[in-house]
Amino acid sequence: MQDGEVIIERRGTAGIIRLNRPRALNSLTLAMIRRITQALDGFARDADVAAVVAIGEGERGFCAGGDIRALHESARAGDGLAGTFWREEFRLNHMIAVYPKPYVALMDGITMGGGVGLSSHGRHRIVTERTRLAMPETGIGYVPDVGATWLLPKAPGEAGTWLGLTGLDIDAADAIHARLADIRIASSRLGDVIETLSGLPRGSSSGDVDGVLQLYAEPPGESRLRQNAPMIDRAFRFDSVEEILAALAGEDGEFAAETRRVLLTRSPTSLKLALQLLRAGRRSASLAECLGRELGACLRMLNNPDFFEGIRAAVIDKDRNPKWSPASVEAVEAAAVERFLQPAEPPLLL
């Protein structure tokens, strides 16, 4: 398949999946989710495929996430498309996590939201000097999904809590520190990486793929998250957003001040729900458990005014000035948050 929003090709023993919406930063549609799933299924059954490589077309990004404008329109229309999208996307995330062959994600450029789901669940996660990774959902009245509540709690200390609540983007060094990526390779060498992988013999192992990737590896650089880890761990160890904000107010330095300023711009409801989901993810036994919990929250977001307001401000009117309701974390009632944590009906089947 050489055209359309996803390009599927075989090069030697490498199966290659190219996201092909560069003008939209390769943001995902339901048709793309289905095409990627179909391709992965085919490559898994093809004995001549040694490894699968996922890459984004264009120089700006791997994948900026789901097409939130389409999700917004579906929620307005009540046509069920948004729910179908999330169910099939989450199944794909789980498929990547348990994929039987080496899966290599080239996270070059913007890798956000659903793009993290397509990459960070894989066995081989490559970042470059152009990588900007984020789970920015609290800024649009939504919550971290695509299994992020399984991934983020596995970051050192409270780095994952910082990422999930602030939604701020990070670079290659931070992504590796947060255990969302494994290795940095220069963007100019990615073509060479694919070419070398395409020459692997049938039946190659993840160890064989690691050997190829190490040929092109470069130092990741200094991680800002690592440098600020003591402050992040002190401030984000609490189980309430109010305590986190209070702790940040008592910290010295611009990093803490910036973090607090950003949190105060995010949806208060999203912050409280995201923290609950992250803490639940820390206690969870599997990715499947987290995805099922996230789906219940996502489906109920379709009736949350902050979801519509956040997308309006970010991608429709683009005024970057959302009016959240409630407007402060103190005004968000615990019962309102608990309603988002009810299981999805029907449950997610993986």
Side-chain angles (χ1 to χ4, degrees):
M1 180 180 178
Q2 295 301 322
D3 56 12
E5 295 179 337
V6 180
I7 299 172
I8 308 300
E9 64 176 292
R10 274 280 304 279
R11 187 180 303 179
T13 57
I16 302 172
I17 299 172
R18 297 183 180 274
L19 308 183
N20 190 35
R21 293 186 73 206
R23 291 184 178 179
L25 295 175
N26 299 315
S27 58
L28 296 168
T29 64
L30 180 58
M32 292 172 72
I33 294 291
R34 289 174 172 171
R35 187 70 184 101
I36 296 166
T37 300
Q38 181 185 39
L40 286 175
D41 184 60
F43 288 146
R45 291 184 284 104
D46 188 338
D48 290 329
V49 172
V52 175
V53 180
I55 189 170
E57 289 293 282
E59 297 183 352
R60 296 173 61 203
F62 170 64
C63 175
D67 188 334
I68 59 174
R69 183 184 290 270
L71 295 173
H72 178 272
E73 291 172 355
S74 172
R76 286 289 189 202
D79 59 14
L81 174 65
T84 300
F85 176 90
W86 285 324
R87 287 180 184 278
E88 297 196 26
E89 182 184 30
F90 291 6
R91 291 188 191 111
L92 174 57
N93 300 146
H94 191 267
M95 182 182 192
I96 290 169
V98 300
Y99 200 63
K101 294 184 177 182
Y103 177 93
V104 182
L106 304 181
M107 305 157 70
D108 186 31
I110 292 173
T111 303
M112 297 184 178
V116 175
L118 287 184
S119 53
S120 291
H121 291 297
R123 218 173 301 174
H124 307 277
R125 296 92 49 92
I126 312 307
V127 284
T128 76
E129 77 284 356
R130 301 190 297 199
T131 298
R132 303 306 303 178
L133 183 149
M135 293 301 298
E137 290 79 8
T138 59
I140 58 167
Y142 188 54
V143 288
D145 63 350
V146 299
T149 62
W150 173 251
L151 293 168
L152 294 178
K154 291 175 169 46
E158 297 294 341
T161 312
W162 182 92
L163 282 163
L165 295 189
T166 67
L168 291 170
D169 61 280
I170 58 174
D171 64 9
D174 287 332
I176 292 171
H177 171 71
R179 300 174 186 161
L180 297 171
D182 305 302
I183 189 171
R184 172 172 160 162
I185 296 175
S187 59
S188 61
R189 304 304 305 275
L190 296 183
D192 298 329
V193 169
I194 294 174
E195 191 62 33
T196 307
L197 289 173
S198 71
L200 285 172
R202 296 172 58 185
S204 292
S205 67
S206 278
D208 297 323
V209 171
D210 281 332
V212 168
L213 299 177
Q214 286 299 328
L215 295 173
Y216 301 96
E218 62 183 24
E222 291 295 322
S223 165
R224 189 168 72 135
L225 290 183
R226 185 192 297 275
Q227 292 171 344
N228 289 280
M231 186 284 293
I232 291 172
D233 292 350
R234 285 194 302 271
F236 283 83
R237 72 183 189 272
F238 300 102
D239 292 332
S240 78
V241 178
E242 291 92 334
E243 288 176 295
I244 291 172
L245 288 169
L248 286 168
E251 292 284 346
D252 296 326
E254 178 55 28
F255 186 87
E258 176 197 13
T259 295
R260 190 172 189 275
R261 283 197 300 269
V262 168
L263 288 178
L264 291 173
T265 70
R266 301 321 196 204
S267 160
T269 300
S270 292
L271 287 175
K272 287 208 163 186
L273 178 57
L275 185 58
Q276 289 257 31
L277 290 169
L278 289 167
R279 294 300 187 248
R282 182 175 286 174
R283 301 187 296 269
S284 295
S286 68
L287 169 61
E289 183 181 340
C290 291
L291 287 168
R293 186 183 300 113
E294 290 171 10
L295 179 62
C298 294
L299 293 175
R300 285 169 180 81
M301 277 289 173
L302 298 176
N303 296 312
N304 176 30
D306 277 7
F307 178 68
F308 297 98
E309 174 64 7
I311 295 176
R312 178 206 64 76
V315 301
I316 298 176
D317 297 337
K318 298 182 180 179
D319 60 24
R320 307 291 177 181
N321 187 32
K323 305 299 183 185
W324 305 122
S325 179
S328 68
V329 293
E330 293 80 8
V332 179
E333 297 179 357
V337 175
E338 287 297 321
R339 283 195 290 271
F340 289 101
L341 299 174
Q342 298 304 308
E345 292 294 342
L348 183 66
L349 300 177
L350 299 172

